[in-house]
């Protein structure tokens, strides 16, 4: 008998969102790949509306999981990552959501569930940045991985029809975006790395850790998930045809002089609004607020995935 033959088998904890409709036998595939790779039976932990992943991730660590796999959408991934950040336990991704934005930004094939499972168990590891977002209205600290926003983009998340999203996917966000184009700007003060860069009326402030959002649209062209920087875009359309200037500015990647779209980078971003506006993290509407401080935490999270 070899020295390693009596060592306990590695175990994966799978945190799954049971509300996500899937046509794939995720449990059966996970059990098969664990057995094929010499792992023990996986630990299954289901999210709930009241606890979308944080409590389950803590339970996974308590049970000694060697990898914690988020099987769901970006909301599930974000909650699990919040617990794993700063630890040595890797996060595996089995994308089952509508956007699957982190997986897409990492170059994963979001249609290949078996490949994702195999990668989460025996793939290669890489470090990525996470972003700490602290609000004081109400007091709350959360993390995000892809992007956060206040104003128009968060209103889209709040007003997206869930039934339509199940039918047409990310196109449901387009529907919500068109319906909410009319709206009032809010006076905003934006401070990046301690320096005030914006103090005027805006419609939306988005802060990104990755570049691509729904539909493959690249909101933050210079963003990288491991560059130690936050990317910020401020949208401030003016007049009846202001949104055309916004579109033109985004196509030009902020290189035009039109202040309808402005881009910034930094390690910390503080946003203060005149009054409460919608607030979102990684596509999840998180209520309303008028102040948030976001700070990059470089290389805080380990991702395990198939090589691409």
């Amino acid at each position: 008998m070899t020295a390693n033959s009596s060592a306990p088998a590695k175990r994966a904890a799978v945190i799954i969102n049971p509300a996500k409709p899937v046509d794939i036998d995720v449990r059966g595939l996970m059990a098969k790949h664990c057995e094929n790779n010499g792992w023990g039976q996986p630990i299954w932990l289901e999210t709930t509306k009241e606890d979308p992943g944080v409590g389950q991730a803590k339970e996974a660590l308590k049970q000694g999981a060697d990898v914690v796999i988020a099987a769901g959408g970006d909301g599930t991934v974000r909650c699990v990552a919040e617990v794993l950040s700063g630890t040595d336990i890797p996060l595996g991704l089995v994308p089952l959501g509508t956007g699957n934005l982190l997986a897409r930004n990492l170059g994963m094939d979001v249609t290949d569930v078996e490949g994702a499972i195999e990668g989460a168990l025996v793939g290669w590891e890489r470090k990525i940045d996470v972003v700490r977002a602290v609000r004081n209205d109400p007091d709350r600290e959360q993390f995000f991985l892809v992007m956060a926003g206040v104003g128009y983009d968060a209103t889209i998340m709040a007003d997206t029809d869930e039934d339509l999203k199940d039918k047409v996917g990310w196109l449901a966000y387009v529907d919500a975006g068109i319906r909410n184009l009319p709206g009032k700007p809010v006076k905003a003060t934006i401070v990046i790395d301690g320096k005030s860069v914006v103090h005027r009326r805006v419609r939306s402030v988005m802060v990104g850790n990755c570049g691509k959002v729904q539909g493959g649209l690249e909101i933050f062209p210079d963003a990288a998930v491991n560059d130690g920087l936050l990317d910020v875009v401020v949208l401030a359309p003016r007049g009846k045809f202001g949104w055309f200037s916004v579109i033109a500015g985004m196509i030009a990647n902020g290189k035009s002089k039109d202040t309808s779209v402005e881009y910034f980078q930094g390690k910390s971003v503080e946003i203060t609004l005149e009054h409460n506006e919608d607030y979102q993290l990684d596509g999840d509407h998180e209520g309303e607020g008028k102040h948030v401080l976001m700070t990059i935490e470089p290389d805080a999270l380990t991702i395990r995935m198939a090589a691409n």
Side-chain angles (χ1 to χ4, degrees), residues 91-231:
L91 169 66
L93 305 176
V94 177
L96 302 177
T98 303
N100 303 310
L101 296 181
L102 180 64
R104 292 179 192 275
N105 276 280
L106 292 173
M108 291 181 64
D109 178 355
V110 299
T111 66
D112 184 5
V113 172
E114 285 212 56
I117 291 172
E118 182 80 5
L121 294 175
V122 295
W124 66 291
E125 295 182 0
R126 62 177 295 187
K127 297 279 190 179
I128 69 169
D129 305 337
V130 302
V131 188
R132 183 189 301 269
V134 180
R135 302 162 67 189
N136 60 11
D137 53 345
D139 289 330
R140 192 168 186 195
E141 177 181 288
Q142 296 169 286
F143 288 75
F144 70 90
L145 302 171
V146 181
M147 67 167 287
V150 293
Y152 173 65
D153 72 294
T155 300
I156 292 173
M157 304 306 170
D159 199 35
T160 297
D161 186 301
E162 290 298 319
D163 291 336
L164 186 62
K165 191 163 75 168
D166 288 340
K167 293 175 183 176
V168 300
W170 64 268
L171 288 173
Y173 296 111
V174 176
D175 167 71
I178 293 171
R179 285 189 283 105
N180 286 282
L181 274 175
K184 293 183 178 180
V186 59
K187 187 178 289 185
T189 300
I190 304 172
V191 176
I192 297 181
D193 293 345
K195 179 182 177 182
S196 180
V197 297
V198 170
H199 183 67
R200 60 193 179 94
R201 294 190 177 277
V202 305
R203 278 297 304 279
S204 182
V205 183
M206 292 180 283
V207 181
N209 189 36
C210 300
K212 294 178 183 176
V213 295
Q214 282 85 359
L217 179 64
E218 198 160 40
I219 295 288
F220 310 98
D222 296 324
V225 78
N226 58 352
D227 62 358
L229 290 171
L230 295 168
D231 286 73

Side-chain angles (χ1 to χ4, degrees), residues 252-267:
N253 293 336
K255 293 180 174 63
S256 71
K257 294 181 179 180
D258 192 328
T259 56
S260 295
V261 180
E262 289 187 288
Y263 288 86
F264 305 94
Q265 282 187 320
K267 296 180 180 180

